[in-house]
Amino acid sequence: MLDLEKALVFAENWAVKVGNIQQKKLKENKFKVSTKSTETDLVTEVDLLSEKMIRAEIKQRFPEHNILGEEIEYEDQKSDYTWVIDPLDGTNNYANSYPIYAVSIALRDKCDYLLGVIYLPELDQLYSVIRGQGSFNKQQPLKVTDKIALNQALIATGFPYDKDSSQLDNLAPFNKLLKKLRGIRRSGSAAFDLTAVAAGKIDAYWEFKLSEWDYAAGELLVREAGGEVFKTSLDDNLLLIAGNKNLVRQIKSTINDIYNFS
């Protein structure tokens, strides 16, 4: 039987260790940057270094587990357990020395997410969660907001890397929701936004075309903080909405009016 509390401590230590190295290298400003799928989809040598470090730690402690990460090929050990890691969420921010980026690590079995950790190096904020035990920021319990009206809500979103060519560029939902909201924020990091929802600093969040490593730890944080996470597929692309059930329902309805996914 896997000891989730011990596994969480390991993941917390890995995230902080890697985050500290990221912060140090950012201050030195000596790292290479290249592109992946588009000119706006960046990867740095720090992304790769961070993922290699986390993978090495996982292999040492849990050599039989699968590993799914953003930068390196999936390692399938035929295990019931899979670690899902985004070694540096917010690479575009990082490459421009914009101080919003995160290390995200989650563990799931065949059915559910079991634990998650998100570390924000520039804020020295460590978010942790075990399924069924609540979400925490350094031992302080988290709770999503209870706002029920969009015109009172501060909501976060993001845009896909292929926004110049994709029909799911998020512009139509953005324009429609913007007029209904108190305000919109765009951090550039899904992990950061989901911690903000779980902590009640942002009322809700939606985004298209996320990958599992973008949201795995954050989804569990939001759910264990009393929130709801809605996911659906549009033309094989994910739409994720997170927040309290009232705001999720209203955002879902507004976007559904455009794309008719229900």
Side-chain angles (χ1 to χ4, degrees), residues 11-257:
E12 289 174 333
N13 290 336
W14 303 337
V16 172
K17 178 180 178 180
V18 168
N20 288 340
I21 291 173
Q22 292 172 356
Q23 192 176 35
K24 178 181 178 182
K25 288 188 173 295
L26 185 61
K27 289 179 180 178
E28 295 172 350
N29 197 26
K30 295 180 180 178
F31 53 86
K32 295 179 182 178
V33 181
S34 56
T35 60
K36 295 193 290 186
S37 61
T38 70
E39 286 300 313
T40 58
D41 185 8
L42 303 184
V43 60
T44 74
E45 61 182 352
V46 181
D47 293 72
L48 297 170
L49 172 64
S50 299
E51 183 158 331
K52 288 177 181 178
M53 290 178 62
I54 296 170
R55 283 174 177 264
E57 297 282 3
I58 292 171
K59 289 178 181 179
Q60 180 179 355
R61 295 287 182 176
F62 307 102
E64 73 281 8
H65 288 184
N66 311 322
I67 306 175
L68 173 65
E70 180 174 9
E71 308 300 344
I72 301 174
E73 186 176 347
Y74 173 58
E75 296 187 33
D76 186 1
Q77 305 291 338
K78 309 302 181 184
S79 172
D80 289 342
Y81 298 105
T82 300
W83 291 91
V84 184
I85 53 179
D86 193 335
L88 202 171
D89 186 59
T91 299
N92 283 4
N93 290 346
Y94 188 84
N96 285 275
S97 297
Y98 188 70
I100 296 179
Y101 57 92
V103 183
S104 179
I105 304 172
L107 175 66
R108 60 170 163 83
D109 60 16
K110 290 185 175 181
C111 301
D112 299 294
Y113 293 115
L114 303 175
L115 63 82
V117 171
I118 296 175
Y119 182 58
L120 309 177
E122 298 296 332
L123 299 176
D124 190 27
Q125 296 291 304
L126 181 64
Y127 293 85
S128 305
V129 58
I130 293 178
R131 188 182 65 185
Q133 297 185 25
S135 297
F136 298 88
N137 177 8
K138 295 184 176 180
Q139 282 70 58
Q140 295 298 314
L142 306 180
K143 188 179 185 304
V144 300
T145 66
D146 57 3
K147 293 179 184 176
I148 61 174
L150 285 175
N151 63 9
Q152 297 177 353
L154 185 64
I155 292 181
T157 191
F159 297 87
Y161 291 121
D162 60 349
K163 56 188 177 294
D164 62 330
S165 59
S166 173
Q167 292 184 346
L168 295 175
D169 58 11
N170 198 24
L171 291 177
F174 181 89
N175 290 333
K176 192 166 185 177
L177 281 162
L178 177 62
K179 297 179 180 181
K180 300 181 179 183
L181 302 174
R182 177 169 288 173
I184 284 184
R185 298 294 179 265
R186 196 278 196 258
S187 75
S189 166
F192 176 90
D193 289 336
L194 288 166
T195 65
V197 172
K201 298 174 183 178
I202 286 286
D203 299 302
Y205 161 73
W206 92 91
E207 190 162 350
F208 292 94
K209 296 193 173 184
L210 295 176
S211 297
E212 185 178 1
W213 47 76
D214 295 313
Y215 65 81
E219 175 179 337
L220 187 59
L221 277 169
V222 171
R223 291 190 186 278
E224 288 293 323
E228 181 175 307
V229 178
F230 169 79
K231 292 183 292 186
T232 192
S233 178
L234 296 173
D235 298 327
D236 296 323
N237 294 292
L238 180 74
L239 164 63
L240 181 145
I241 308 171
N244 68 54
K245 64 179 181 180
N246 291 302
L247 294 180
V248 168
R249 174 179 52 80
Q250 293 175 74
I251 296 170
K252 175 184 173 184
S253 176
T254 301
I255 298 177
N256 187 51
D257 288 343

